[in-house]
Amino acid sequence: SQQGEEDPQALSIQEGENATMNCSYKTSINNLQWYRQNSGRGLVHLILIRSNEREKHSGRLRVTLDTSKKSSSLLITASRAADTASYFCATDAKDTGRRALTFGSGTRLQVQP
Amino acid sequence: GAVVSQHPSWVICKSGTSVKIECRSLDFQATTMFWYRQFPKQSLMLMATSNEGSKATYEQGVEKDKFLINHASLTLSTLTVTSAHPEDSSFYICSAGRLAGGGDTQYFGPGTRLTVL
């Protein structure tokens, strides 16, 4: 399968709570990225973490990467209704020359006001 | 930041017709562009890699004669869905690759929603 796996597939939380999404991938990577997609819209790039990094922060976002387990997590703190969207991780493939990204299956986040 | 546009943003067509979707990198040159397809509530799946001045590389299971890709310039790639059928209805997203500062970054277009009646 081209895709990695994400869990949960769907997540519903209350405004103010934290949301954690997990992503697993299959190949060695140069970097891993997280994207957000509002329903029927294009992708919004959130954050990129390189394979030699373990954690990265950007505003209310915290991303971790464990290359030994081929997994990453995205934490959104103090969630807002506007965070409602689908979230995808995407990886490149190291040492293959392949530049296209492989996307995870996605997590649909619903933040209740 | 780098901007990628797609045109049209949505299109409705009759079964059997052909539809052309354009992907443009507005402020940088992209030797490589990528075409993805996304069915409802699913993830993006790579269809093909479009290289300027050469033939596109298609992923397994993607019919090259049905999805014609042309990358005639460093800022424009087109995807033509030939003899479209209802099962081709999907969200098509392109991205343009930019090599800069030792890194490779992809910039995504806003997508084109195709509905085939």
Side-chain angles (χ1 to χ4, degrees):
Chain A
S1 167
Q2 190 185 115
Q3 292 184 315
E5 297 297 321
E6 287 189 53
D7 76 272
Q9 290 186 353
L11 179 62
S12 182
I13 59 175
Q14 295 295 123
E15 212 167 21
E17 294 181 338
N18 296 341
T20 299
M21 290 159 266
N22 303 294
C23 161
S24 61
Y25 56 92
K26 299 180 179 180
T27 65
S28 295
I29 61 172
N30 292 309
N31 57 60
L32 182 145
Q33 305 179 64
W34 284 90
Y35 291 86
R36 185 183 75 203
Q37 184 182 36
N38 287 67
S39 181
R41 307 291 292 273
L43 296 175
V44 175
H45 184 262
L46 295 176
I47 196 166
L48 178 152
I49 186 166
R50 302 192 186 283
S51 60
N52 60 354
E53 298 176 308
R54 292 296 167 259
E55 187 171 311
K56 199 163 184 179
H57 297 252
S58 177
R60 293 184 296 114
L61 306 180
R62 181 170 79 94
V63 169
T64 63
L65 178 64
D66 186 335
T67 53
S68 67
K69 295 181 179 179
K70 290 187 170 59
S71 67
S72 174
S73 68
L74 170 67
L75 168 66
I76 303 175
T77 60
S79 64
R80 305 167 183 169
D83 294 329
T84 295
S86 291
Y87 291 82
F88 297 94
C89 66
T91 56
D92 61 359
K94 188 176 182 180
D95 298 331
T96 63
R98 177 183 171 95
R99 296 175 63 196
L101 297 178
T102 299
F103 283 83
S105 51
T107 294
R108 292 191 303 279
L109 174 66
Q110 177 78 40
V111 181
Q112 307 285 354
Chain B
V3 178
V4 175
S5 69
Q6 278 184 245
H7 178 79
S9 55
W10 59 270
V11 56
I12 301 173
C13 69
K14 293 182 178 179
S15 190
T17 60
S18 294
V19 174
K20 180 185 284 189
I21 303 170
E22 294 184 348
C23 176
R24 293 181 185 273
S25 55
L26 298 184
D27 50 0
F28 67 99
Q29 294 182 331
T31 56
T32 304
M33 290 184 174
F34 306 91
W35 288 97
Y36 297 83
R37 179 169 55 185
Q38 183 181 33
F39 291 108
K41 296 187 178 180
Q42 294 188 26
S43 187
L44 282 74
M45 296 292 288
L46 179 69
M47 298 176 65
T49 300
S50 169
N51 299 297
E52 188 268 336
S54 64
K55 292 182 179 180
T57 304
Y58 290 82
E59 294 299 294
Q60 191 173 7
V62 178
E63 299 176 58
K64 62 180 182 180
D65 295 329
K66 180 168 182 63
F67 298 99
L68 301 179
I69 291 173
N70 184 279
H71 195 155
S73 78
L74 288 172
T75 59
L76 174 64
S77 175
T78 60
L79 168 68
T80 301
V81 184
T82 62
S83 187
H85 288 99
E87 58 265 30
D88 298 324
S89 297
S90 187
F91 195 52
Y92 292 86
I93 304 176
C94 73
S95 71
R98 185 182 190 185
L99 294 168
D104 185 7
T105 303
Q106 289 191 32
Y107 299 91
F108 284 85
T112 296
R113 182 160 304 283
L114 170 64
T115 302
V116 185
L117 302 177

